[in-house]
Amino acid sequence: DTLWDLAIAEVEKRENPDDDDKRVEVWEKSVLFMGNKNGGKTTIILRCLEREEIPKPTLALEYTFGRRARRHNTPKDVAHFWELGGGTSLLDLIRIPITSNNIRSSAVVLVLDLSKPNELWTTMEKLLQVTRNHVNKILSKLEKTNPEVATEIKQRIRNNLQRDHPDYELVDPFPVPLVIIGTKYDIFHEFDSEMRKIISKTLRFVSHYYGASLVFTSKSEALLLKARVLINHLAFGYEKSKSVSLDHSKPLFIPAGLDSLSQIGPPPASDSDIGKMRANTPLELWKKVFEKTFPPKSFCDLQNTKDPAEDLQYAEYEVDVMRAQKKQELEQYRRNASKSWKEMDFDSD
């Protein structure tokens, strides 16, 4: 463009600001990160936002946001990033970042620690089940109050898989966009090859069944970049990646809709073992096969959740001194109240 052309465009923009605003729609998304304790959720968020900070343990539910401009001189899109701490112990907090007001723009990132296969299925199942139930309740209400929006959300999720895909009728898509990230690939890579194959095939099946994207990552910049590609697609509408890595001997990278049951193959177990397993759904069958190799640990996240006030990483001298003083005052009040109660004279009538 010549200088004259640019001047004309600038004058038109100033004279018709409303028209320009109408052409540029601001993108606003809400992404909930959840998964294993110490699984690397915070690290992934910081890398996505290009922040050079040292990750700190997530206490409960933490919030941050990122902004991106799609083009020069256009309003910046906003992505709200929520991080659920505590593994599976704080599930009630899921209702805060996912509401009826933002359900159309919500997405979920499930971060699973590949170095802890005995906790993998339990964590994945519990978090996805509670999230799905919560989203389905919202959709049920929308079907009564705003059926068009409810239908739009359900259809959009189905669109992740083309209608001519051979598995179109065999999968059960998650009600909001979902990305599954397997972290600590550097440790996972040292596992026995057969163990890696079972874990990889299982996560491929779960991801495909839920219409989710799947990526394995670690602290490596190259692998973190692949995770960023999928998250930026959810958060800022960046172009969806079409590259695929299905080789179990390498880090997996499978965008939603680009895998298939025929490529994944049957559950990694003998025909006789599969025949003995009682399962009502394909997902349940895969669970039984997986847990035969990796029995789930009998642990309770709630019992492991420490009182933050007793955690040394949150120590603050002035606050702790005041808290101890207030605690002492409370104990004194309880003793006095108890003593007063016992000394009270009640009328017999």
Side-chain angles (χ1 to χ4, degrees), residues 59-105:
L59 185 56
L61 181 68
E62 296 192 1
Y63 168 82
T64 188
F65 68 93
R67 301 176 73 206
R68 296 280 191 279
R70 274 173 279 178
R71 296 190 303 275
H72 184 60
N73 286 336
T74 60
K76 288 186 177 181
D77 298 326
V78 180
H80 306 281
F81 284 3
W82 297 86
E83 182 184 355
L84 180 69
T88 59
S89 64
L90 301 169
L91 296 173
D92 287 346
L93 297 179
I94 288 174
R95 58 188 173 82
I96 296 175
I98 303 179
T99 68
S100 57
N101 293 327
N102 69 5
I103 188 67
R104 297 172 74 179
S105 58

Side-chain angles (χ1 to χ4, degrees), residues 34 37 47 92 152 155 160 238 293 318 334 344:
M34 57 188 184
K37 290 180 182 177
R47 294 304 298 125
D92 287 346
E152 175 200 326
Q155 189 57 49
N160 273 338
Y238 285 18
T293 305
E318 292 83 358
R334 284 174 175 165
M344 290 180 71

Side-chain angles (χ1 to χ4, degrees), residues 32 104 140 188 198 229 249 286 290 296 304 340:
L32 170 62
R104 297 172 74 179
S140 296
F188 171 76
I198 293 171
V229 168
S249 64
W286 276 84
F290 183 82
N304 293 333
S340 299

Side-chain angles (χ1 to χ4, degrees), residues 66-202:
R67 301 176 73 206
R68 296 280 191 279
R70 274 173 279 178
R71 296 190 303 275
H72 184 60
N73 286 336
T74 60
K76 288 186 177 181
D77 298 326
V78 180
H80 306 281
F81 284 3
W82 297 86
E83 182 184 355
L84 180 69
T88 59
S89 64
L90 301 169
L91 296 173
D92 287 346
L93 297 179
I94 288 174
R95 58 188 173 82
I96 296 175
I98 303 179
T99 68
S100 57
N101 293 327
N102 69 5
I103 188 67
R104 297 172 74 179
S105 58
S106 292
V108 170
V109 176
L110 176 64
V111 179
L112 299 173
D113 189 338
L114 296 175
S115 70
K116 299 177 180 177
N118 297 87
E119 298 178 15
L120 193 149
W121 191 285
T122 304
T123 300
M124 174 176 66
E125 183 178 55
K126 208 166 187 180
L127 288 169
L128 292 183
Q129 190 175 59
V130 171
T131 305
R132 184 166 207 156
N133 290 342
H134 173 63
V135 172
N136 284 340
K137 285 180 182 178
I138 293 175
L139 291 177
S140 296
K141 291 180 180 178
L142 280 177
E143 285 176 347
K144 298 175 182 177
T145 59
N146 199 335
E148 292 182 0
V149 172
T151 302
E152 175 200 326
I153 293 171
K154 292 179 180 179
Q155 189 57 49
R156 186 184 63 198
I157 293 302
R158 270 287 175 185
N159 289 341
N160 273 338
L161 208 61
Q162 299 296 324
R163 284 189 173 274
D164 58 355
H165 194 290
D167 304 333
Y168 187 80
E169 297 296 336
L170 303 175
V171 298
D172 186 17
F174 204 69
V176 294
L178 173 66
V179 169
I180 298 177
I181 300 179
T183 59
K184 303 186 182 179
Y185 179 80
D186 50 336
I187 301 174
F188 171 76
H189 189 60
E190 300 300 321
F191 285 6
D192 173 77
S193 60
E194 192 59 32
M195 290 172 63
R196 293 202 312 268
K197 184 178 180 181
I198 293 171
I199 295 170
S200 297
K201 286 190 67 171
T202 300

